[in-house]
Amino acid sequence: MVNTFPWLTVLWAVPTIGAAIVILIPAGQRVLAKWLALAVSVVGLGVAVVLAVGFDPAGKQYQFVESHPWIPSFGTGYILGVDGIALALVVLTAVLMPLLIIAGWNDATDRTGLAGRSVQAYLALMLAVEGMVFMSLVALDILLFYVFFEAMLIPMYFLIGGFGGENRSRAAVKFLLYNLFGGLVMLAAVIGLYVVTAQSDVFGSGTFDFRAIVEAVASGRLVLSPAVGSFLFLSFMFAFAVKAPLWPFHRWLPDAAVEATPASAVLMMAIMDKVGTFGMLRYCLPLFPDAATYFRPVIITLAVIGIVYGAVLAIGQVDVMRLIAYTSISHFGFIILGIFVMTSQGQSGSTLYMINHGISTAALFLIAGFLVSRRGSRLIASYGGVQKVAPVLAGTFLVAGLATLSLPGLAPFISEFLVLIGTFTRYPVLAVFAATALVLSAVYILWTYQRMMTGPVREDDGDGTDAVRNLRDLVPRELAVVAPLIALLLVLGIYPKPALDVINPAVHHTLTIMGQTDPVPSAPPTVAEGSR
């Protein structure tokens, strides 16, 4: 029953249909809209739990497969399936979504042109993004994936531009233009890949079936010329690098993260942007193994630059929300580094890093958002002595910050450790440069905590913001958001085995398709051997 019922269709249909219902709720029923959106997100979490329980790590590569004709003349179908990597991100999305709705409970305010329906619009857009992310993660047809990969930009654009800060319009346009351009380049590659399959004798006609194309590439029946393979790989990679984002394609992220509401910013950084790194693992490596291996040194060099660049710029920020946005650029560098070193430790660590980054960034950004909503200022200099007046808020901020700097015992540590180990076995020099981020992250987190949370309580600046001494501690609604995130950071930091048991077989499958094996350490000669 579990594997025959169309669970993956239900997974993406629940939030999508829920979004349509929420937007139709009458303007005066804002509370009903909030509770309905929360209920829809909880149902989505329930479906994800069913998938996680029914998934067999030792079973087939893709499970819960659904396959139906869509546009047969174009060789495209409604093909869904989930492997261990996709399942991990599905569960992350489903877990975070109810927490984001609770966190953004009071974010939406009535704006001109929405006729008092801003709450309904805000929640419907959040659910729409969730549904499109789900579809992107489970699609096994390349054209189907592309459609939802691009479509998710529209609701996110309106979330930033309709409900963000003073410069929201500029940030939203910048976000959309960067990502649409990346998607346009990818569209050329999607069409090019279809032409290649149509001209091949393997399929008889063009196809977008991901599994069939990968099988043909792996078996050697479909051979791409170096020029064609490089063009297609770079086009896919460019779109994913913008979405992720990889340095130097990151310029849109800090503005979008700062101007969006905290909940929608987390939806973007912790959930939607993961589709970019997921696409690198799912599409770039198996479809174009030769090109991926050829361009590997360039990509991991950019990743290491991004790691250091993001950490250094985070240290220099005076805006706490912008600081956290730059830390994400550094973390995405680690994720991409682990993917392209092409070792089992690196790729398993990268996938686990996607989960842990989502949780830690959600915790840190939302707690900072709760603080900013009280004081009315994003400037670090506007705070001081917060731990004296709001000890729970300060304490949870510290735990989330320590997770961000990968303190042992908290979830991001093991994923960052795996990435560095996997990198060191192939590129020891780059691994050393990447490891400098461990020191830099300690600087920007601990220095920020010192300036904002410790010392004497800062006096009122007389600028219209609420005085620090009047700040409330976390209320029950906010604790309901923060407590599960802190618990997940602790549990996955101490016992990541269940997640890795699901991830590792999928990683092994990807490396096998690419013909990659882990480097064998060379042992130093023994005394007896050295004397010969």
Side-chain angles (χ1 to χ4, degrees):
M1 171 64 180
V2 171
N3 283 287
T4 57
F5 187 80
W7 286 110
L8 297 183
T9 296
V10 174
L11 178 71
W12 72 265
V14 164
T16 304
I17 295 172
I21 296 174
V22 168
I23 197 65
L24 295 176
I25 293 177
Q29 301 293 324
R30 297 183 183 89
V31 175
L32 174 62
K34 292 177 181 180
W35 284 105
L36 179 59
L38 179 60
V40 169
S41 66
V42 171
V43 173
L45 174 58
V47 176
V49 169
V50 171
L51 294 172
V53 172
F55 187 84
D56 180 9
K60 294 181 179 179
Q61 172 69 8
Y62 298 105
Q63 301 179 30
F64 304 98
V65 173
E66 303 173 34
S67 182
H68 307 282
W70 179 25
I71 313 176
S73 59
F74 286 172
T76 185
Y78 178 79
I79 308 173
L80 309 181
V82 65
D83 64 356
I85 296 170
L87 179 64
L89 295 178
V90 163
V91 172
L92 171 68
T93 303
V95 168
L96 289 183
M97 200 63 202
L99 302 180
L100 296 183
I101 290 177
I102 297 172
W105 200 255
N106 300 319
D107 279 353
T109 56
D110 289 338
R111 296 189 185 276
T112 303
L114 291 175
R117 303 175 60 83
S118 59
V119 171
Q120 288 87 332
Y122 180 77
L123 296 170
L125 291 169
M126 295 275 285
L127 292 173
V129 173
E130 181 189 24
M132 292 176 184
V133 168
F134 279 147
M135 176 56 91
S136 298
L137 294 174
V138 303
L140 292 179
D141 181 274
I142 296 172
L143 182 61
L144 187 66
F145 166 82
Y146 173 78
V147 169
F148 285 90
F149 177 80
E150 286 292 274
M152 71 177 69
L153 300 177
I154 304 305
M156 182 55 67
Y157 166 79
F158 285 110
L159 280 171
I160 299 170
F163 301 93
E166 293 181 359
N167 298 315
R168 60 185 181 274
S169 296
R170 178 178 177 273
V173 170
K174 192 174 183 179
F175 158 81
L176 190 63
L177 290 179
Y178 266 76
N179 284 275
L180 281 180
F181 181 68
L184 181 63
V185 173
M186 181 177 168
L187 177 60
V190 170
I191 296 172
L193 184 60
Y194 175 81
V195 171
V196 168
T197 60
Q199 293 177 345
S200 171
D201 297 331
V202 177
F203 304 104
S205 61
T207 182
F208 289 104
D209 188 329
F210 169 75
R211 294 175 301 169
I213 298 173
V214 168
E215 193 278 330
V217 170
S219 64
R221 293 184 298 122
L222 178 63
V223 180
L224 302 177
S225 68
V228 171
S230 296
F231 167 76
L232 296 178
F233 168 79
L234 289 175
S235 299
F236 272 84
M237 183 64 198
F238 179 75
F240 296 142
V242 172
K243 177 85 76 177
L246 171 66
W247 183 91
F249 311 109
H250 67 284
R251 297 294 299 275
W252 62 269
L253 178 62
D255 289 340
V258 168
E259 295 302 329
T261 65
S264 53
V266 171
L267 177 64
M268 178 183 65
M269 292 190 296
I271 295 177
M272 193 188 79
D273 289 353
K274 297 299 190 307
V275 179
T277 47
F278 168 78
M280 296 176 193
L281 263 174
R282 166 63 65 84
Y283 295 99
C284 287
L285 301 191
L287 287 174
F288 318 109
D290 293 338
T293 304
Y294 179 79
F295 288 104
R296 173 173 59 184
V298 175
I299 295 171
I300 63 175
T301 300
L302 294 179
V304 172
I305 293 173
I307 291 169
V308 178
Y309 171 89
V312 170
L313 262 66
I315 293 173
Q317 297 306 307
V318 297
D319 181 325
V320 63
M321 309 304 273
R322 189 172 289 271
L323 182 151
I324 299 171
Y326 275 107
T327 68
S328 285
I329 294 172
S330 182
H331 293 312
F332 273 110
F334 269 111
I335 295 171
I336 297 169
L337 174 65
I339 291 171
F340 279 92
V341 294
M342 298 179 190
T343 61
S344 57
Q345 299 98 330
Q347 292 193 353
S348 293
S350 285
T351 306
L352 187 61
Y353 211 131
M354 294 185 214
I355 301 171
N356 294 336
H357 169 262
I359 299 169
S360 61
T361 296
L364 190 61
F365 209 90
L366 291 176
I367 295 168
F370 295 150
L371 180 60
V372 169
S373 68
R374 286 159 164 75
R375 175 73 162 139
S377 173
R378 300 197 307 258
L379 297 178
I380 296 173
S382 297
Y383 298 87
V386 173
Q387 67 180 11
K388 291 183 172 65
V389 297
V392 177
L393 189 154
T396 53
F397 184 91
L398 177 61
V399 174
L402 293 176
T404 300
L405 63 81
S406 299
L407 184 76
L410 296 173
F413 168 74
I414 187 62
S415 48
E416 194 164 299
F417 180 77
L418 285 171
V419 169
L420 289 174
I421 289 294
T423 303
F424 190 83
T425 57
R426 274 213 168 103
Y427 300 95
V429 174
L430 289 176
V432 170
F433 277 106
T436 60
L438 300 176
V439 177
L440 297 174
S441 62
V443 172
Y444 61 67
I445 287 296
L446 298 179
W447 190 31
T448 300
Y449 181 82
Q450 180 189 38
R451 288 180 289 170
M452 296 181 69
M453 306 297 174
T454 65
V457 177
R458 185 175 179 83
E459 297 300 326
D460 189 357
D461 293 328
D463 57 359
T465 60
D466 196 9
V468 172
R469 64 176 177 273
N470 296 329
L471 297 184
R472 295 174 299 137
D473 212 337
L474 294 180
V475 298
R477 175 181 64 84
E478 295 165 336
L479 284 171
V481 174
V482 175
L485 295 173
I486 298 298
L488 286 171
L489 290 174
L490 292 170
V491 170
L492 288 174
I494 297 171
Y495 191 60
K497 184 177 182 297
L500 288 172
D501 285 345
V502 172
I503 293 167
N504 287 339
V507 167
H508 176 74
H509 180 79
T510 300
L511 292 174
T512 300
I513 289 175
M514 297 190 67
Q516 296 285 335
T517 57
D518 290 334
V520 178
S522 56
T526 62
V527 174
E529 291 173 338
S531 61
R532 292 175 185 173

